[in-house]
Amino acid sequence: MLKPQVNHHTQSTKTLFPLEKPFLFGNGGQSFLLQVQSRPSSSNKAPKVRVGFSSNIKAISIPFTGRNNTFTKVKAVVTVKRTIGSLISDLTLTPGDIKELLGRSLQLELISAELDPKTGLEKATVKDFADRGLFPNDGFDITYRAEFKVPLDFGEVGAIYVKNDHDFEFFLKDVVLEGFPNGPIKITCDSWIQPKFVEEKRVFFTYKSFLPSKTPNGLERLRGEELIKLRGNGQGLRQASDRIYDYDVYNDLGSPDSKQDLARPVLGGKQHPYPRRCRTGRDPYPKSETRVRDNLTFYVPRDESFSGIKTATFGAKALYTLLHSLIPTLTSVIIDRDRGFPYFTEIDKLFNEGVNLPKKDKKSLINAIPRLVKGVKDTAENILKFETPDAMDRDKFFWFRDEEFARQTLAGLNPYTLRLVTEWPLKSTLDPKIYGPPESEITKEIIEHEIRGFMTLDEALEQKKLFMLDYHDLLLPYVEKVRQLEDTSFYASRTLFFLNPDGTLRPIAIELTRPPMDGKPQWKRVYTPSWHSTECWLWKIAKAHVLAHDSGYHQLVSHWLRTHCCTEPYIIATNRQLSAMHPIYRLLNPHFRYTMEINALARLALINADGVIESTFSPGKESIELSSFAYDKQWRFDNEALPKDLISRQEFSDPIQKGLAVEDPSAPHGLKLTIEDNPFATDGLVLWDIIKQWVTDYVNHYYPDPSLVESDKELQAWWFEIRNVGHADKKDEPWWPVLKTSEDLIEIITTIVWVTSGHHAAVNFGQYTYGGYFPNRPTITRTHMPDEDPTEETWKFFMEKPEAVLLEALPSQIQATKVMAVLDTLSTHSPEEEYLGDIVEPSWKQDPVINAAFERFNGKLKEFEGIVDGRNANTNLKNRNGAGMMPYELLKPFSKPGVTGKGVPYSISI
């Protein structure tokens, strides 16, 4: 367990009373702890008391003495965010203790952007100590002030040094310098400042952005040295206070040191290709890193973790409490892990009557996860009720209807997998010697029977009327392994849809396949909608299997892999190769905030061995390896751009036939959609164009000459590292974009911004809306199809109790409640969510050209809000307007705290 670093004194210390766990308040193990410092018994002095910032303490100011008597008086206003330790301010201390604690504790040094013209050396810095005094606090902020005497020949301030003489870290928000002829200079820091015994001093650059070749000569050394610090040397165990960004493979998801059954393969490398994550330096055992114990998170660079005040309300605290308090509590309450729901009315009780919780858990859970709880009755028993999901609240039977099943492939939680069918017959590419005959059982006769009266199969293919969810070749290699898990079934699947004349989709066939195993030959069966009760119930159970496949793919690939996992290398490379004063760093940084912290939480308890995903989703212990298989076979950077993603989505590669869109310069956004009423695609393309225009304005401002892109050493190193290190297992793929011109850079940056904002919002914030009532999107199916090698007894039970057979296939009570709790937490906007284009970044605001471009960006997003509302009100758009139907708002830019289903944050937030 990481212990707080408080001081280096030799006397022993002990905590007077404990505060919250270090992780929960984002203090990296260096909380503001109230301490009593013991003295030797021979001493007559009272014990020292150490606290956080106090409201009646002043630091000593030492003015700068220049080389002449001509100065400019400059004042500095320093804003520090309150953290949990700094809330302790009413304790009685002796004057001697106060002076020792905070006297001369925060030192600032102004750094000139210019070299001395006479010596060619860096100019001497101008120093002063910041004084807190009795200045009023602004809410949760604490204000310090300093006053400098700056020589008139000092030149423009390019940066500041900050030195922390406290025994603890603090969170520095910004420094504003007032008194210069051209107005105040604001230096945004948003960083943890370590005590001087950890890091001597920190450098922060002003708001002005510079390409490497245009760096002011007085800042060139600092620019290079700061990047070297952030890269580290690739050695040693990372400490909580470190700011080092480095790469490693995913060798920390298993726990073979505690239980051999929890061993998991290393992801990253030739055998299991995968993106890289941040290196922690923990000891291997022998290939897997030792897991962190005692409820602490994995290392992330210090400024990637939440500030003390944000952590008090941010979603990470809710997720942390969920994983370490609520889920263990639910597990203890629901003793029978295999018990399902005997009736659908029992599922309804989760919303109407709730789950009994131990009384001792009531306060901590409700305070941490307020939206999860519908109500807690103050009786002898504490009852946790789940909120009724919006989709169910509008239409209790929405999950039962085939048309809603089809609609959600376009306007639901996972709009990333529907593909156009361009070739017939359907055929597997897997080795038939291992997996059996490759030909699909979905025949021309089956298709034409289902679409009779409309057209022939050939006409349907030619007119682009057939679409498919294809999980056949991806899942079939894992069926045998998953079926070895207790209380779990698994198939490979194909689901065919027909595009109706009114623009809606209709499911027409489901194929489930089991490979040869256990001495039995390949088994496959095609199910179709039917008016007959037997085939009707078989269809509904087959549909549950397909939905479980889609839920697993959504969570492991569309969500975790494509947004969280693949983004982490972008973040690491950005901090290692782009200076904080680089304009592209400042453009990307808002889209990366807190993502690494959230990813570390996922590695800790979501995607790890026996974590939430493995225990509640169909692939089970094969889940994370399955995401590696999908990365190897499917992921490519260029297709992460929304237009190219839509174009590429076709079954089999055909250079003439395209997928869900084709390029058409005369069409809106340059694309003609195969399904015109596609809510995700139509809204997404508007948002894509708005983002791209903002990125274009920004890039063209800093790169007016396209040759500047290729000559930008930091930028080229950044892109090289993303391809060759962060995504090393795909470094030789021919589809990687080159980075030579402004157009190349615009496309690359727009793609990254889209993935972290629009893509993530589309697959995250509707999770509880569509998955909170789990029969709509079961995450696991626990029993085989009734007609797969049935016994006389099992078939008789199905014929007499088909509803009971469907319920047996759905998740157990503990699996369902776990998933419901996690989805609710993941998809709820936090009180401090920062939405795309809502608030201008400080460095953007200071540049008139960039600020004007941002205002246009903000205005376009507000217009887009109206466009979405108008589309949802259009009765001709039957995939987003109808009785009891959820409007499509997942890409609507702005939202409110506590809301699910709409809002696009800047970054990959929870």
Side-chain angles (χ1 to χ4, degrees):
M1 176 176 177
L2 298 176
K3 296 182 178 179
Q5 294 182 356
V6 180
N7 57 59
H8 283 181
H9 294 284
T10 56
Q11 295 98 327
S12 63
T13 62
K14 58 183 180 180
T15 303
L16 185 61
F17 58 84
L19 297 175
E20 299 284 348
K21 293 183 191 291
F23 167 78
L24 293 180
F25 296 96
N27 59 9
Q30 300 185 51
S31 303
F32 290 68
L33 299 181
L34 177 65
Q35 296 191 331
V36 176
Q37 184 170 341
S38 302
R39 297 182 181 275
S41 58
S42 59
S43 173
N44 294 323
K45 295 183 180 180
K48 286 187 177 181
V49 180
R50 294 189 172 273
V51 300
F53 296 116
S54 178
S55 61
N56 58 354
I57 300 172
K58 296 184 68 174
I60 300 174
S61 176
I62 301 178
F64 172 84
T65 303
R67 290 169 295 182
N68 54 56
N69 294 322
T70 307
F71 301 96
T72 297
K73 185 179 289 186
V74 174
K75 295 181 179 180
V77 179
V78 182
T79 303
V80 173
K81 272 188 174 291
R82 270 188 188 274
T83 56
I84 297 305
S86 63
L87 296 177
I88 306 170
S89 59
D90 296 326
L91 302 177
T92 302
L93 306 177
T94 67
D97 287 331
I98 293 174
K99 182 177 180 180
E100 180 177 355
L101 180 63
L102 289 180
R104 304 167 61 89
S105 58
L106 180 60
Q107 188 182 61
L108 305 178
E109 297 182 46
L110 305 185
I111 303 170
S112 175
E114 306 169 1
L115 296 176
D116 189 316
K118 295 181 180 179
T119 65
L121 303 177
E122 295 175 2
K123 294 182 179 180
T125 60
V126 182
K127 303 179 182 180
D128 192 23
F129 283 92
D131 178 6
R132 178 175 178 184
L134 299 177
F135 302 114
N137 295 328
D138 180 14
F140 282 102
D141 293 339
I142 301 170
T143 301
Y144 284 76
R145 300 195 181 188
E147 187 172 294
F148 303 92
K149 291 183 178 179
V150 181
L152 291 181
D153 62 352
F154 187 74
E156 184 177 358
V157 174
I160 61 167
Y161 280 128
V162 179
K163 185 176 181 181
N164 176 14
D165 283 335
H166 293 294
D167 287 336
F168 42 74
E169 67 173 5
F170 61 83
F171 191 84
L172 180 60
K173 185 177 179 181
D174 55 47
V175 179
V176 178
L177 303 176
E178 301 174 340
F180 290 104
N182 295 328
I185 299 173
K186 184 175 183 179
I187 303 174
T188 302
C189 305
D190 285 335
S191 181
W192 291 96
I193 309 300
Q194 300 302 322
K196 64 180 180 181
F197 57 78
V198 175
E199 186 171 20
E200 177 62 22
K201 53 188 175 182
R202 284 285 305 280
V203 64
F204 294 97
F205 300 103
T206 63
Y207 63 85
K208 289 189 175 181
S209 298
F210 299 99
L211 300 181
S213 61
K214 298 185 178 182
T215 307
N217 53 22
L219 303 177
E220 287 180 352
R221 177 184 62 84
L222 294 178
R223 182 170 186 153
E225 288 182 354
E226 182 67 4
L227 285 174
I228 291 172
K229 289 180 182 179
L230 292 170
R231 293 171 193 149
N233 59 9
Q235 304 295 318
L237 176 66
R238 296 274 64 85
Q239 303 300 316
S241 59
D242 287 346
R243 295 188 298 124
I244 295 173
Y245 296 78
D246 203 356
Y247 300 93
D248 207 344
V249 294
Y250 279 78
N251 63 349
D252 60 349
L253 300 179
S255 282
D257 52 327
S258 61
K259 188 178 179 182
Q260 189 56 41
D261 187 53
L262 298 180
R264 296 294 181 269
V266 173
L267 301 186
K270 185 176 181 179
Q271 186 173 2
H272 298 292
Y274 218 54
R276 300 305 190 255
R277 50 92 173 173
C278 185
R279 178 185 175 276
T280 67
R282 295 192 306 276
D283 294 332
Y285 179 88
K287 294 182 179 180
S288 295
E289 285 191 0
T290 304
R291 299 275 298 173
V292 175
R293 308 297 183 197
D294 301 324
N295 293 343
L296 292 177
T297 189
F298 295 153
Y299 163 79
V300 295
R302 188 67 188 101
D303 288 340
E304 299 296 331
S305 57
F306 310 109
S307 66
I309 188 60
K310 179 174 282 290
T311 306
T313 56
F314 198 74
K317 181 184 177 183
L319 180 59
Y320 186 84
T321 305
L322 171 84
L323 298 175
H324 294 278
S325 295
L326 180 59
I327 286 180
T329 299
L330 289 172
T331 304
S332 67
V333 170
I334 304 173
I335 299 174
D336 186 353
R337 295 175 61 90
D338 299 328
R339 187 172 186 269
F341 293 88
Y343 309 102
F344 279 96
T345 52
E346 291 293 313
I347 300 174
D348 295 342
K349 287 182 179 180
L350 295 173
F351 311 104
N352 301 326
E353 298 181 16
V355 179
N356 290 329
L357 293 180
K359 191 171 184 178
K360 64 181 178 65
D361 294 329
K362 171 186 172 182
K363 184 176 180 180
S364 62
L365 295 177
I366 296 173
N367 288 344
I369 317 173
R371 193 194 168 281
L372 180 67
V373 183
K374 182 178 181 181
V376 178
K377 298 180 180 179
D378 292 323
T379 60
E381 294 181 319
N382 297 289
I383 301 174
L384 180 148
K385 292 183 183 179
F386 289 91
E387 285 276 359
T388 303
D390 291 341
M392 184 188 179
D393 198 38
R394 288 170 175 260
D395 179 359
K396 185 176 181 179
F397 300 104
F398 80 109
W399 66 278
F400 205 66
R401 295 185 286 109
D402 284 351
E403 55 269 30
E404 179 64 13
F405 166 52
R407 188 187 76 87
Q408 288 183 30
T409 64
L410 300 172
L413 186 54
N414 187 28
Y416 271 95
T417 51
L418 189 71
R419 305 177 72 84
L420 175 69
V421 178
T422 60
E423 294 183 14
W424 200 267
L426 302 176
K427 191 174 181 179
S428 172
T429 61
L430 299 174
D431 187 348
K433 295 180 181 178
I434 300 174
Y435 299 106
E439 294 82 13
S440 171
E441 292 288 329
I442 304 177
T443 63
K444 176 180 180 180
E445 291 72 24
I446 291 175
I447 297 299
E448 292 188 341
H449 179 268
E450 293 300 319
I451 63 174
R452 62 187 181 277
F454 286 103
M455 58 188 67
T456 65
L457 172 62
D458 291 337
E459 290 171 338
L461 292 171
E462 182 181 353
Q463 296 179 35
K464 301 182 180 179
K465 299 295 185 181
L466 283 183
F467 298 85
M468 179 161 56
L469 291 181
D470 185 4
Y471 296 125
H472 187 277
D473 286 10
L474 183 71
L475 299 186
L476 196 60
Y478 290 90
V479 170
E480 183 173 6
K481 289 187 284 186
V482 172
R483 283 191 168 211
Q484 294 173 3
L485 304 176
E486 186 178 351
D487 204 32
T488 303
S489 179
F490 205 50
Y491 295 95
S493 67
R494 295 184 178 101
T495 305
L496 268 291
F497 299 87
F498 177 72
L499 182 63
N500 294 319
D502 65 356
T504 61
L505 289 173
R506 176 160 58 96
I508 58 176
I510 292 174
E511 181 183 40
L512 300 179
T513 305
R514 178 201 70 196
M517 57 179 290
D518 300 330
K520 300 176 182 179
Q522 182 195 71
W523 179 92
K524 64 177 64 171
R525 170 75 189 273
V526 177
Y527 303 89
T528 58
S530 174
W531 295 105
H532 187 265
S533 62
T534 302
E535 294 300 321
C536 179
W537 276 105
L538 287 172
W539 167 259
K540 295 184 188 305
I541 298 171
K543 193 166 65 171
H545 281 274
V546 170
L547 287 166
H549 301 161
D550 193 64
S551 294
Y553 186 91
H554 158 261
Q555 203 65 264
L556 291 165
V557 181
S558 301
H559 185 198
W560 160 253
L561 174 68
R562 291 181 64 176
T563 64
H564 289 265
C565 183
C566 288
T567 295
E568 188 149 333
Y570 310 153
I571 303 172
I572 298 172
T574 298
N575 284 276
R576 286 169 54 88
Q577 300 298 342
L578 298 182
S579 167
M581 68 169 69
H582 197 292
I584 300 304
Y585 174 93
R586 285 177 162 155
L587 176 59
L588 287 173
N589 189 51
H591 300 284
F592 294 155
R593 288 188 184 123
Y594 312 120
T595 297
M596 290 181 70
E597 179 87 63
I598 294 167
N599 289 359
L601 270 174
R603 285 165 33 223
L604 183 69
L606 281 175
I607 64 169
N608 61 301
D610 204 30
V612 172
I613 298 296
E614 285 196 0
S615 63
T616 60
F617 282 76
S618 275
K621 65 186 296 183
E622 307 299 328
S623 293
I624 200 66
E625 183 182 328
L626 178 61
S627 73
S628 167
F629 188 55
Y631 175 74
D632 182 31
K633 300 299 181 182
Q634 298 178 349
W635 187 88
R636 45 187 290 174
F637 179 87
D638 58 335
N639 284 350
E640 292 300 284
L642 178 62
K644 291 186 178 180
D645 169 74
L646 294 170
I647 290 171
S648 70
R649 280 206 256 155
Q650 57 175 308
E651 195 63 21
F652 307 110
S653 179
D654 186 328
I656 299 176
Q657 293 272 12
K658 297 298 182 180
L660 296 191
V662 294
E663 294 184 62
D664 183 350
S666 65
H669 320 291
L671 292 182
K672 179 176 175 58
L673 294 176
T674 309
I675 302 174
E676 293 183 5
D677 181 14
N678 182 337
F680 164 72
T682 53
D683 287 4
L685 288 171
V686 176
L687 183 57
W688 169 272
D689 280 0
I690 293 172
I691 292 172
K692 187 169 185 178
Q693 186 57 59
W694 154 242
V695 174
T696 300
D697 292 343
Y698 190 99
V699 168
N700 287 340
H701 176 62
Y702 287 103
Y703 295 90
D705 182 349
S707 66
L708 290 172
V709 171
E710 196 167 10
S711 63
D712 186 332
K713 294 181 179 179
E714 287 183 6
L715 190 68
Q716 292 298 326
W718 167 77
W719 185 235
F720 177 88
E721 191 165 286
I722 286 174
R723 298 187 335 266
N724 291 275
V725 185
H727 288 274
D729 301 327
K730 287 182 171 280
K731 63 184 178 65
D732 295 325
E733 297 286 356
W735 40 253
W736 282 105
V738 297
L739 181 53
K740 292 184 177 181
T741 67
S742 301
E743 288 74 19
D744 299 332
L745 180 58
I746 289 166
E747 187 72 13
I748 290 169
I749 298 298
T750 304
T751 299
I752 293 174
V753 171
W754 163 256
V755 168
T756 58
S757 56
H759 179 153
H760 181 261
V763 300
N764 183 69
F765 291 104
Q767 290 192 85
Y768 193 72
T769 298
Y770 290 109
Y773 187 71
F774 64 88
N776 182 59
R777 289 187 65 79
T779 57
I780 192 169
T781 43
R782 300 185 298 143
T783 59
H784 304 330
M785 289 296 298
D787 57 341
E788 183 195 339
D789 304 327
T791 64
E792 182 177 342
E793 181 181 0
T794 58
W795 185 253
K796 183 175 182 292
F797 181 70
F798 165 68
M799 295 297 288
E800 293 178 354
K801 298 284 187 180
E803 179 182 328
V805 173
L806 174 59
L807 284 164
E808 283 183 347
L810 297 179
S812 67
Q813 291 190 19
I814 184 60
Q815 289 170 333
T817 50
K818 275 186 182 182
V819 170
M820 290 167 66
V822 170
L823 297 188
D824 182 68
T825 304
L826 293 178
S827 60
T828 303
H829 288 289
S830 73
E832 294 193 3
E833 197 80 84
E834 297 170 344
Y835 294 97
L836 184 70
D838 189 19
I839 300 175
V840 63
E841 291 291 305
S843 63
W844 304 343
K845 190 174 184 179
Q846 299 297 327
D847 187 311
V849 175
I850 298 301
N851 187 55
F854 180 84
E855 290 298 321
R856 291 192 295 273
F857 180 44
N858 175 266
K860 288 292 185 181
L861 290 171
K862 289 178 179 177
E863 289 179 19
F864 179 44
E865 289 256 314
I867 292 173
V868 173
D869 290 339
R871 287 172 173 174
N872 286 331
N874 187 343
T875 57
N876 293 322
L877 300 178
K878 297 185 181 301
N879 288 318
R880 62 196 306 160
N881 183 290
M885 186 182 294
M886 283 295 300
Y888 190 73
E889 298 183 316
L890 291 174
L891 295 178
K892 197 172 181 179
F894 309 116
S895 187
K896 297 179 181 179
V899 172
T900 63
K902 63 179 178 181
V904 181
Y906 266 115
S907 59
I908 300 175
S909 60
I910 288 178

